[in-house]
Amino acid sequence: MPANVSRCRVCKEPAVIDLPRHNAHFCGEHLVQLCNRQMAKAIEDWEMFTPQDRLLVAVSGGKDSLAVWDMLVAAGYQADGLYLGLGIGEYSDDSGGYVRRFADERGLKLITVDLRADYGYDVPTAAVATKRVPCSACGLSKRHLFDRAAVDGGYDAVVTGHNLDDEAAVLFGNTLRWEIDYLGRQLPVLPAANGFPRKCKPLVRLTERETAAYCLIRGIDYVVEECPMAAGNRHLAYKEALNSIEQQSPGAKAAFYLNFLTKMSPLLAGSTAAARGDVGTCGRCGAPTTGDVCAFCRLIEKSSTHEAVPVEFVLDKRIRR
Ligand code: AMP
Ligand code: FES
Ligand code: ZN
Ligand code: ZN
């Protein structure tokens, strides 16, 4: 073997990945070990859950949520999956396929909810009906239906695959606008409160490059394409900006986010609407809300009465704009 081959920091075998922020290279086995350790540290540091808790993992078919489900099951946690069909054309069909195959191959329980079949609308239709960007109805539907599935199924916590890149980008956006309410809620674990289930993000210490490598090494097939409706959104622009900073100074992204959690979050505690106790109950579905009717019920009202809009129509309109 040539002398200049990079070697794993742990075992000195040939490395498969270099991680500048750790100033080290890793072989496949030790990259998997690093991912497991980073997840275990996040779970422990923020007291996310215990092996006695029943977890509902929201799985999109992408690398992060399949990786977190895989890691949790391997670590002995009781973790069922939840897939939400968003009706985003072929992208949703493909994503659902990856999730179902993952669950079937491992004999794991998967709950599925479908916006069109169960609630009479889909994301492209909701985008047109509400005259807002698709991610807005998409995010609202996800939050509401993850919560509802967890409460209905008696789960102790909802787990999502949000990683360090996601969280740092959201933090960047919220900081640019000084969104104090959002900043106050941007935590890796939100305790159950006011009828909302506990929500946990065990992968906040891992980057998307690391979760992609984890899936490759573990032989997990995932949908590689990004959501077609997300193209050009601000979140992706923030990720790119942070990546260019990270390239100049490895570790900057993790420091930005993790130091926010230790140094800034405590100063914001108590400043959110939920903390102020401004939360009541939706008159239609019983979900927690700060108004009379929750935003999800208002979304159904507008979108389910609108004629179905194909995803191509929304994409064409966005390109021409
Ligand atoms: P995103 O909002 O697309 O960045 O996804 C963040 C997290 O939400 C993912 O890591 C998943 O845990 C979850 N998620 C996203 N889309 C879905 C979906 N269609 N069904 C279930 N969970 C999802
Ligand atoms: Fe929600 Fe793309 S995944 S709009
Ligand atoms: Zn090694
Ligand atoms: Zn409601």
Side-chain angles (χ1 to χ4, degrees):
M1 183 172 310
N4 62 354
V5 164
S6 306
R7 298 200 168 259
C8 171
R9 172 157 89 183
V10 185
C11 67
K12 312 297 176 224
E13 290 297 313
V16 296
I17 189 168
D18 72 306
L19 299 180
R21 76 188 175 106
H22 292 290
N23 195 19
H25 294 74
F26 292 92
C27 71
E29 184 191 335
H30 289 114
L31 187 269
V32 167
Q33 187 186 71
L34 175 128
C35 290
N36 285 326
R37 283 197 181 148
Q38 292 291 344
M39 181 183 80
K41 181 163 169 50
I43 294 170
E44 193 188 319
D45 283 357
W46 291 296
E47 298 177 347
M48 290 187 181
F49 40 74
T50 68
Q52 283 69 49
D53 285 328
R54 288 182 62 233
L55 310 176
L56 185 61
V57 186
V59 267
S60 64
K63 58 190 179 324
D64 307 303
S65 48
L66 288 175
V68 76
W69 198 9
D70 188 65
M71 282 188 231
L72 288 170
V73 170
Y77 288 100
Q78 310 174 52
D80 295 342
L82 167 67
Y83 172 72
L84 175 60
L86 300 164
I88 307 177
E90 247 177 57
Y91 170 75
S92 289
D93 299 339
D94 290 353
S95 313
Y98 284 101
V99 177
R100 273 184 275 272
R101 273 193 298 282
F102 180 93
D104 286 350
E105 282 167 15
R106 290 157 182 82
L108 297 171
K109 179 176 170 183
L110 176 68
I111 298 171
T112 53
V113 177
D114 187 83
L115 283 187
R116 175 57 67 193
D118 300 330
Y119 294 96
Y121 74 94
D122 47 45
V123 166
T125 305
V128 172
T130 58
K131 300 191 179 71
R132 306 207 30 201
V133 291
C135 297
S136 159
C138 175
L140 170 59
S141 307
K142 284 188 217 166
R143 284 190 298 277
H144 183 95
L145 294 172
F146 293 173
D147 289 355
R148 180 180 291 187
V151 170
D152 289 354
Y155 288 92
D156 296 294
V158 173
V159 170
T160 53
H162 291 96
N163 58 37
L164 177 59
D165 296 79
D166 295 324
E167 294 303 294
V170 170
L171 175 61
F172 193 43
N174 286 338
T175 305
L176 283 176
R177 291 185 291 279
W178 292 114
E179 296 276 13
I180 297 299
D181 223 50
Y182 290 145
L183 287 168
R185 267 181 284 153
Q186 209 195 328
L187 296 166
V189 58
L190 286 176
N194 305 311
F196 290 107
R198 192 186 330 154
K199 287 173 210 167
C200 310
K201 302 174 181 174
L203 298 192
V204 292
R205 301 184 61 90
L206 289 172
T207 63
E208 40 191 49
R209 209 169 139 253
E210 290 155 7
T211 60
Y214 176 91
C215 288
L216 201 73
I217 292 159
R218 293 277 294 162
I220 298 171
D221 277 336
Y222 60 87
V223 62
V224 176
E225 297 82 46
E226 295 285 337
C227 166
M229 310 208 120
N233 76 10
R234 281 193 298 206
H235 186 67
L236 291 179
Y238 298 150
K239 276 191 176 175
E240 280 170 24
L242 287 169
N243 282 341
S244 93
I245 296 171
E246 178 74 15
Q247 232 182 0
Q248 297 293 318
S249 35
K253 201 189 290 172
F256 175 56
Y257 174 65
L258 296 173
N259 289 346
F260 162 78
L261 293 179
T262 51
K263 298 180 182 177
M264 194 64 204
S265 277
L267 304 180
L268 295 169
S271 60
T272 65
R276 289 191 302 266
D278 299 347
V279 179
T281 305
C282 170
R284 289 189 201 162
C285 74
T289 176
T290 48
D292 295 334
V293 174
C294 78
F296 181 72
C297 284
R298 281 182 274 129
L299 177 68
I300 297 185
E301 192 176 353
K302 266 198 179 147
S303 310
S304 63
T305 49
H306 195 286
E307 106 184 79
V309 176
V311 62
E312 293 76 19
F313 176 82
V314 182
L315 292 176
D316 281 356
K317 227 170 93 185
R318 283 165 68 81
I319 290 165
R320 271 191 267 115
R321 217 187 284 152

